[in-house]
Amino acid sequence: MGGISVIFKSINLLFMLKDLLHFLFPKSCPGCSILLLTHEVLLCTVCRATLPFTHQHQSATNEALGKFYGKVKIQQASCLLYYAKGGLVSNLLHQLKYNNQPSIAFVLGQLYAELLADDQAFPSVDYIVSVPLHPKKLKQRGYNQVDGFATALSQHFQIPIHSSVLAKVERTASQTTKSFQERIKSKPAVFQLQSTPNLAGKHFLLLDDILTTGSTLENCAKLLLQIPDSKVSILCLAYTK
Ligand SMILES: [Zn+2]
């Protein structure tokens, strides 16, 4: 009996400690800024209940995949949420990218993993690859905002993350002949295919935070498809029309 009461006391103590920490360091919801209750994880109950899911993964020929038609061959593509300027998802992505909250991508990634698993829609891939961030930006932000998403999917589906196959590098050579204004206009960094041994025939799952025009993902996919017999599928946290 003594042992059990010690365990109960320890559990009680842990709950009290959690409440105390919550009281001392209250967290706010990144979707609507109200203070979170102790049982709420990352998002408040209202934001969680109003997340605008796309359900794109339920259709093999959806609007996300449509963005790549005629440009690059993608096996499957879908995004978790609809993005609207000034809306809930826009707030979440802003907090994720500019307010040191990488856990937002992890929590949304867990949510996506559960949906994909329930609908048996997770592509049969060999590696998960985040769209890389430029080293300068990585240093500035301290994290790649897509990595939490990659970790959540990797843990849920037991698929390894390949973090060195793609890199973002400074644009050089031909760029130097352009004027400063031209260089600013034509984005200063490009993607590069890095080491590719033993990657022939592999299916890559490319991840990004948001699918807008699709040009970043298209560029990365084209590089991955230079690997012999490779395939690419795409998942993003948010989608804009
Ligand atoms: Zn909220």
Side-chain angles (χ1 to χ4, degrees):
M1 274 306 280
I4 291 174
S5 79
V6 169
I7 292 170
F8 275 123
K9 272 182 189 165
S10 306
I11 291 172
N12 267 336
L13 201 66
L14 278 176
F15 275 115
M16 279 166 66
L17 197 65
K18 193 179 159 216
D19 286 344
L20 182 68
L21 281 172
H22 186 82
F23 177 74
L24 292 174
F25 308 103
K27 286 187 175 155
S28 58
C29 171
C32 66
S33 305
I34 68 158
L35 287 183
L36 291 175
L37 303 173
T38 35
H39 68 277
E40 292 173 331
V41 181
L42 185 82
L43 284 172
C44 75
T45 308
V46 174
C47 283
R48 207 170 263 268
T50 51
L51 283 171
F53 292 109
T54 72
H55 299 292
Q56 286 167 345
H57 64 273
Q58 292 172 345
S59 160
T61 55
N62 62 55
E63 55 197 346
L65 189 63
K67 290 211 181 193
F68 302 98
Y69 284 157
K71 295 175 182 166
V72 60
K73 187 168 168 47
I74 302 295
Q75 306 295 315
Q76 270 179 255
S78 66
C79 308
L80 177 64
L81 303 165
Y82 280 118
Y83 172 100
K85 211 174 171 186
L88 168 59
V89 179
S90 151
N91 292 344
L92 292 178
L93 291 190
H94 184 84
Q95 295 294 320
L96 165 66
K97 283 166 93 163
Y98 307 110
N99 203 21
N100 196 26
Q101 293 207 55
S103 59
I104 292 174
F106 183 75
V107 172
L108 291 179
Q110 283 181 319
L111 207 60
Y112 208 177
E114 282 162 22
L115 280 180
L116 292 165
D118 284 349
D119 292 338
Q120 298 185 336
F122 187 73
S124 56
V125 293
D126 300 293
Y127 290 108
I128 292 171
V129 178
S130 300
V131 165
L133 210 57
H134 190 277
K136 267 188 202 162
K137 205 156 209 177
L138 191 62
K139 205 172 168 195
Q140 191 185 4
R141 187 171 292 161
Y143 57 92
N144 179 340
Q145 74 274 8
V146 189
D147 284 349
F149 181 24
T151 306
L153 293 179
S154 172
Q155 286 179 0
H156 196 101
F157 296 103
Q158 298 292 300
I159 304 287
I161 294 171
H162 202 305
S163 54
S164 60
V165 66
L166 290 177
K168 202 169 188 184
V169 294
E170 288 297 344
R171 201 187 279 263
T172 50
S174 63
Q175 284 282 303
T176 52
T177 54
K178 290 184 176 176
S179 74
F180 179 72
Q181 288 304 325
E182 279 174 324
R183 272 182 280 147
I184 294 282
K185 250 192 253 168
S186 60
K187 296 170 188 166
V190 286
F191 296 100
Q192 242 181 24
L193 190 63
Q194 301 286 93
S195 62
T196 59
N198 309 319
L199 292 180
K202 301 295 184 196
H203 187 170
F204 298 95
L205 180 62
L206 193 54
L207 307 182
D208 207 355
D209 49 354
I210 185 161
L211 172 56
T212 312
T213 63
S215 63
T216 299
L217 285 155
E218 182 191 332
N219 290 341
C220 290
K222 280 179 174 165
L223 288 172
L224 290 172
L225 290 172
Q226 287 177 11
I227 300 167
D229 305 317
S230 60
K231 288 187 218 163
V232 174
S233 286
I234 287 171
L235 290 178
C236 296
L237 292 175
Y239 177 91
T240 58
K241 292 190 192 249

